[in-house]
Amino acid sequence: MDFSAQHVLLLGLDAQGFALARHLRQVQASVRLLAIAGEEQHEAQDHAQELAGLLQDPQISLTTCASLESVGSAEVLADITLLVWTPSALMDARYSALLELSLPHLSELDVFALALSNLRLRYGYAPKVIAITGSNGKTTVASLVRQFAQRAGHKVQVLAQQPKLESFLHLDFAAPTISVDQLALAEDLVPEVAMEQAEVCPSIPELPLATPLAAEIAALPTLWILLLNLEQLRLSSHLQADAASVLNVTPEEAKNSVEMARVFAAQTIRVLNRDDVQSIQMQPRMIASLKDEAQIARVLSFGSHEPQAVDCLGLSTERGVQWLSVAVEVDESAQDIKPKRRKKGDVVLPAEIELKHLMPADALKIFGQHNACNALAALALCRAIGLAFAPLLHALRDYKGEPQRLEWVRSLAAVNWYDDGASQNLTASVAAIKAIAGQLTSDEQAITWIVQAGTQDVSRLAGQLPSQLRNVIVLNAADAALASTMLESMAATLVGSGVQFYLVAEVAQALAQATQLAKAGDAVVFSPAKQGGLTSEMQNALQELALAHGELV
């Protein structure tokens, strides 16, 4: 696409929209920003100085619509040849009518992918790209991949909600940009590393010495990790990730398999979660949505059980020790190979593969089966781009986890307190509670769960929580009616489980109640049912409580 010939209507006046506007001017497009009187205009006012700076460029203009009805008016769309969407605009129902227009559409993710392809053609810049989406685990898996790849010699940039085009604003895009035909050619220029050669850590592709911006290009990442949600994937059609994973999906998200499939290109190595029924069931629909099924790249998988295909990863148990393992081809040249004795009911591997143990699960500094599977997902993604196991496993041994993600805070009166405040949904909270249950050494030890009131469907908790959960404290942060409704729903869902429920209005009350309930050897976890929460407030109150008990902070 030659942006210099495009008159762009840019939807979304936020940080991502402004970064897009600056980049679109780099590639010589003319840009029209759209504001709607009211809420959208207020958003623009919040960034008034930045917006005023953009409007100094005569090729950037601002059109304000007096009403929703005028969003698709002839005045707004006059001379427009292309619509570019920020993720926030794609979520905004006020713009939905514009999605029906026959004009070409690009998402922020598309513009980023086109920029990468442009740099590849002009300067030989050929980084690896890993894309990660799913309901839970994205941040942990991305952090693991980042540390793994850095240990293997890559310069890594992780992109989540922040603007994706900021990294390119200092580069020269003045020359004509690439065409659709050149875009296909660009993908053939990426050096591939065969999986069978992956035991030798691949060198980073060298840049041509004659490029005028050699130093600037060389400073760019050699690996981009993209954390994507459904809104960011909508409309996307140009992403060419080397490896991608849909870690897990909710039943609601499974209905959007077409959007989810946009994370995979024809040559993308797909990394699948064998334990997630929804994402596995989506695969036929995802594959059908790709343009050329014959060119679909190989599939790797990970899961909590033994892998059944070469290069796939899983958990296996041998002589009472749980291992992170990979399936490898049997070495037929090996002599006197004796089959391993298996207990009744054990899974029998296909004759052509065997398991290679990588490291004991107990060696991880992050605990819980869900975190072991996160580690396997990260290993699979790194293997998909040709990285050797050795540096990955060294980095995994050192990984201590992320703040507020099943983070051990302290021990108070011999009770362990955990902060899982970054959990964004009840499914993640359940995984954390199960992980803590696995750390308890006696059936007498119990878990108290402090959960912030939310609107999620608590019926999914039925049959999912471990027996060690004995107390649930629902924290009413702002809405008493919402908290009461949630408590009643949880009590109805968990009826007969023996769980006791408590409703409190403040963090200090929640901590006091938990302290009263928990005894030596027990655990307390704060894991809100919606993003945000009062985690820092909880930690401060916990420190004050420790001082009151005469314990050092």
Side-chain angles (χ1 to χ4, degrees), residues 515-533:
T515 302
Q516 181 179 349
L517 293 169
K519 61 184 184 299
D522 286 355
V524 178
V525 57
F526 182 84
S527 183
K530 60 181 180 180
Q531 189 174 11

Side-chain angles (χ1 to χ4, degrees), residues 310-528:
V310 173
D311 294 325
C312 294
L313 295 108
L315 298 177
S316 62
T317 301
E318 184 173 340
R319 297 181 181 178
V321 177
Q322 188 176 57
W323 292 84
L324 277 65
S325 303
V326 61
V328 298
E329 292 183 359
V330 172
D331 184 0
E332 296 181 356
S333 63
Q335 300 296 318
D336 299 325
I337 297 179
K338 296 181 179 180
K340 294 179 181 179
R341 298 182 64 181
R342 293 180 174 271
K343 298 178 181 179
K344 184 178 181 181
D346 282 356
V347 176
V348 179
L349 295 172
E352 67 275 10
I353 69 171
E354 62 183 0
L355 291 182
K356 177 181 179 181
H357 295 326
L358 302 174
M359 65 184 297
D362 285 345
L364 299 178
K365 290 186 171 73
I366 51 176
F367 64 90
Q369 182 169 285
H370 70 299
N371 273 327
C373 287
N374 285 338
L376 292 171
L379 288 171
L381 286 164
C382 288
R383 293 287 290 167
I385 62 169
L387 300 186
F389 267 126
L392 311 185
L393 296 176
H394 281 295
L396 179 56
R397 287 182 184 274
D398 296 335
Y399 181 70
K400 297 180 180 179
E402 300 302 303
Q404 300 180 359
R405 295 179 185 277
L406 198 50
E407 177 186 13
W408 182 84
V409 178
R410 64 164 300 131
S411 176
L412 175 58
V415 174
N416 286 310
W417 291 72
Y418 296 91
D419 179 358
D420 197 48
S423 291
Q424 297 185 24
N425 53 58
L426 289 175
T427 303
S429 297
V430 169
I433 293 169
K434 287 181 176 179
I436 293 171
Q439 298 294 299
L440 302 181
T441 58
S442 166
D443 292 339
E444 300 300 318
Q445 295 173 332
I447 299 171
T448 295
W449 178 19
I450 303 174
V451 56
Q452 183 179 340
T455 58
Q456 297 190 53
D457 181 9
V458 299
S459 64
R460 296 181 187 173
L461 297 176
Q464 297 300 310
L465 293 165
S467 60
Q468 292 92 331
L469 179 67
R470 309 285 167 75
N471 307 295
V472 174
I473 301 173
V474 178
L475 174 60
N476 162 29
D479 189 331
L482 178 64
S484 296
T485 300
M486 181 177 183
L487 186 146
E488 292 172 2
S489 298
M490 292 183 76
T493 299
L494 301 178
V495 64
S497 65
V499 175
Q500 301 297 311
F501 295 88
Y502 305 86
L503 181 62
V504 299
E506 299 178 356
V507 169
Q509 293 176 330
L511 296 183
Q513 181 70 70
T515 302
Q516 181 179 349
L517 293 169
K519 61 184 184 299
D522 286 355
V524 178
V525 57
F526 182 84
S527 183

Side-chain angles (χ1 to χ4, degrees), residues 56-200:
Q56 294 296 312
D57 187 331
Q59 293 299 313
I60 299 180
S61 61
L62 175 66
T63 296
T64 301
C65 296
S67 65
L68 294 178
E69 290 72 21
S70 59
V71 167
S73 66
E75 178 184 0
V76 170
L77 298 175
D79 301 323
I80 294 299
T81 59
L82 174 67
L83 276 68
V84 174
W85 298 75
T86 64
S88 60
L90 283 169
M91 296 173 63
D92 195 330
R94 296 174 300 172
Y95 295 122
S96 58
L98 295 178
L99 288 169
E100 305 302 322
L101 295 177
S102 58
L103 291 168
H105 298 256
L106 289 179
S107 66
E108 180 205 30
L109 189 58
D110 281 331
V111 178
F112 174 78
L114 288 167
L116 285 180
S117 294
N118 193 353
L119 291 171
R120 183 176 299 148
L121 283 175
R122 297 192 61 208
Y123 300 116
Y125 176 54
K128 295 292 185 180
V129 177
I130 289 176
I132 303 170
T133 188
S135 305
N136 300 308
K138 294 190 295 293
T139 300
T140 299
V141 171
S143 181
L144 282 162
V145 171
R146 174 177 57 82
Q147 293 199 29
F148 292 173
Q150 287 175 336
R151 188 69 65 93
H154 274 280
K155 288 179 292 186
V156 184
Q157 178 67 52
V158 179
L159 294 178
Q161 299 298 325
Q162 70 268 42
K164 295 177 176 57
L165 281 306
E166 294 283 6
S167 300
F168 303 142
L169 293 180
H170 65 293
L171 300 176
D172 176 20
F173 283 87
T177 51
I178 61 177
S179 67
V180 174
D181 291 337
Q182 288 173 310
L183 180 64
L185 172 63
E187 301 313 316
D188 295 333
L189 301 179
V190 183
E192 297 295 337
V193 180
M195 287 296 295
E196 58 267 20
Q197 298 173 332
E199 289 306 325
V200 178

